[in-house]
Amino acid sequence: MLIRILPGATQFIDHLDQALRRAPQAQRLTIKQRYFLAFVISAMILTQKLCWATMERRSLGQYTSAALWWMFYRSEIVWHQLLRISVLVIIDRYGLSEGNLLIDDTGRSRCKRTKKIGKTHKIREKKTSGYVNGQELVFLVLQTPLVTIPIDFLNLIGNTGG
């Protein structure tokens, strides 16, 4: 299955870029960054996950996981600013006027050997009451009658086990 950029993803990135231009001290997105973000949004919608290897396979090698990884980690995108402005775009686009701020903590189990996966540590597994290596993420989300969207995140890196 070849991942094609969805028109809705391109429209969202266009609105996001316009909002970035109006924001004080904001960096505009380059053409490559706009294309990358539209591709990643489309791929996440179609595959229902954020995984570079899955995106590489589903694009039939058109996009390598190394290139996607590089764009995500090494391109000069100010992610916190991008997240904040994208939330404002969604609020404006859908005319959202009410909602609740909630905290969502998510534990992501990994495998026994996690030397190549960043910020993993022993976390308590709720199913078995044992410990696994994993990552703990805490999201601040805005819950509205129409949509729930993440507005900030914190990666907990403390060690909770022996």
Side-chain angles (χ1 to χ4, degrees):
M1 169 175 84
L2 184 63
I3 295 175
R4 294 195 178 146
I5 294 178
L6 300 173
T10 303
Q11 291 169 357
F12 176 73
I13 297 301
D14 289 343
H15 290 295
L16 181 60
D17 192 45
Q18 291 170 6
L20 279 169
R21 288 184 213 169
R22 292 189 302 266
Q25 299 177 342
Q27 291 182 337
R28 292 183 58 191
L29 296 172
T30 66
I31 293 172
K32 281 186 179 182
Q33 290 170 338
R34 289 172 56 137
Y35 189 81
F36 165 75
L37 291 170
F39 171 78
V40 169
I41 289 171
S42 298
M44 286 177 16
I45 291 169
L46 295 172
T47 65
Q48 298 182 358
K49 60 174 80 173
L50 177 59
C51 174
W52 306 134
T54 300
M55 291 179 190
E56 179 178 8
R57 284 191 303 272
R58 295 284 174 94
S59 72
L60 302 177
Q62 183 177 358
Y63 306 98
T64 66
S65 57
L68 293 169
W69 181 93
W70 189 94
M71 277 298 291
F72 188 76
Y73 288 103
R74 299 289 183 223
S75 68
E76 296 181 4
I77 296 175
V78 182
W79 292 106
H80 280 288
Q81 183 181 41
L82 190 70
L83 178 61
R84 219 172 280 122
I85 291 178
S86 66
V87 169
L88 294 174
V89 167
I90 292 169
I91 288 171
D92 181 56
R93 182 98 168 120
Y94 292 100
L96 303 174
S97 60
E98 62 180 285
N100 298 311
L101 285 176
L102 304 172
I103 294 177
D104 177 21
D105 65 330
T106 303
R108 175 72 181 189
S109 298
R110 297 295 182 174
C111 56
K112 290 183 180 182
R113 296 183 184 187
T114 57
K115 291 180 182 177
K116 292 185 179 181
I117 301 174
K119 300 189 183 195
T120 59
H121 57 275
K122 289 190 183 284
I123 59 173
R124 187 156 182 86
E125 189 176 40
K126 295 171 184 139
K127 293 178 187 174
T128 64
S129 297
Y131 289 93
V132 295
N133 286 338
Q135 297 164 315
E136 291 278 324
L137 297 174
V138 178
F139 291 91
L140 182 61
V141 296
L142 175 64
Q143 180 188 39
T144 70
L146 183 62
V147 66
T148 300
I149 50 176
I151 58 174
D152 206 356
F153 64 94
L154 172 62
N155 188 354
L156 299 179
I157 57 174
N159 193 346
T160 59

